[in-house]
Amino acid sequence: MLTRFDVAPLVGAVAGAAAGAARSTAQGVTSVYDTTRRVRNVARNALTGGQHWTAGQRVHLALRHADGDAGALARKVAADLLDHPDVLTAYWDGGLSRLVVTVVEDAATDRVAERATALAARFGLTEGADPVAEEATHPGDPREVRVAAGAILLDAAGAAGALAGRSLRLPPTSRIVTATVTLLRENPRFRALLRQRFGKSGMELVLAGVNAAAHGAGQSPLALLLDGMLRGSQLTEAVARAAAFEALHDDICRERRTSVPCPPGTRPPLKVTPAQEYASHASTGSLAGAAATLLVTHSARDAAEAVLAGSPKAARYGPAAFSATLGTFLAQAGILVRSGERLRQLEIADALVLHADALRSLRPDTGDDADGLPDDPVHPFAEAVLDAARRAGLHVVIAGGSDLKDITRLADEVAPSAKPFADVVRALQDDGHVVVTVARLDESGDGHVGAGLPAGDVAIALTDGRAAVPWGADALAPGGLADVWRLLTAIPAARRVGRRSQTLARAGAALSGLLVARGGQPPGRHLLWPLTRHAPVNIAAANALLAGWLEAARVARATPPPPPRPPPRPPRGPDAARARAREWGG
């Protein structure tokens, strides 16, 4: 007997699944297209090397005045530029020190930029950023992209030269040259001198060029291959950070949103990281080992081999790979990292200063009615952030939160509400702490919080809601406390990478030193040590790179714990009152 079967629910389910799959595919295609477009814009800015930043219909022009602040005159330029038929919006962003312009179409950006430059010259303004203030670096500046790409090209050229020399059986240069370059390149004091002379970008290019020339002429391609792999991670991070700024541009660069520049003289000096400290000691040890080898063997070549055996590059490669990979993942997650160099200080951070406003729930945009206030003044992710800080071993201080009794009990210290935020931070720094500051500025950006946030060794600003955007912070967190949680979970991982990298560096140096002391490659062991007596150093560096990549990937995969469900809100209104009266028997 045939039974009627209603296929309508099945057809509806299949149609819903197909629609969901089509929607997901369309979103994926759109995401790929947007990412490709942003990367193309980053590459164009890096290749053109112009004074201004462009991305589609957006243009940022850096203007300055010889006598000081260019804000008043730049606003006049913006007002006159609005009369241009190709200009949609134009305003002066005081935090970025840029004239921000939106045009009607991509093709009009060059015409509008030329017109804006001409108007600026009429008002006595010149194009270009302040060359002295590193804090004024534009978040979309492609300088790091150019430096990383240039270093990769230098490594490739050096490796090609090394392989060509080997294939042609040309004599390599003396190991003394390679040892001298390696010793100076890994020495923190020498790097600091070069940075003071050429700047950060110039230092990186000079070191990359000399290193490529020395290893290329010395026919050591493996060292250049490892360096190129690290540079590839840094290039990916630089591109991702610049692309992330374009993705966040329309949210954080708005005329009606307060933009706060970095207060001059507020940033503390960078602290010495464990990798830098180890490199300094390793350089001294390498020189001592070279001197002892020279006394025993009377051979300058053997002394140079001893210097190469003590190379501490594994200790540097691991944290550098972790920082670059983590920066890439943070950019993909929508966290705008302003200073990767500052973010590396998380490895040695031991204190966290949270301003209470960062722990409060955001007020919904529902007008002035009391029903628009949040039920719980504490943000749902506040407890997760404090738990991540405890797991990282940080001394937690909450400033200005005497009214948040439910959450301040989880802190190690509660600063008096009347004490300025900067004084709380500097008191900890005077006691020898490396401080991470977290704060959310109010809409105006005024007050002691904006001045105290950049006083931290690592400054994290919450830019969710209508908060002002402080460009002096090292990381901008549009996702609020969830982004802060991810940054704090990176601290234990950074420490693990640093310790493991130093262990690998010591092991590589010890094994390489034994091979150097033995006086050559073991006979019949060419498969074990296929290149030189310094293969253990290169193997240690490769393992450090891998450890940094894997730890950063684990941090990226971690998900914050779900916030606790708020208690059900009691019903309001006359019907609720009558219902309660009935329950009470009234």
Side-chain angles (χ1 to χ4, degrees), residues 172-208:
T173 57
S174 172
R175 302 295 282 176
I176 299 176
V177 176
T178 308
T180 302
V181 170
T182 301
L183 182 67
L184 294 177
R185 183 174 186 249
E186 301 296 338
N187 187 278
R189 296 187 182 89
F190 183 75
R191 295 174 71 93
L193 290 175
L194 284 182
R195 179 167 183 167
Q196 185 178 3
R197 176 65 179 86
F198 299 105
K200 181 182 177 182
S201 301
M203 174 201 70
E204 292 290 345
L205 289 176
V206 168
L207 290 176

Side-chain angles (χ1 to χ4, degrees), residues 4 171 254 256 265 340 410 450 472:
R4 295 183 60 186
R254 293 180 304 188
R256 296 183 180 181
L410 301 177

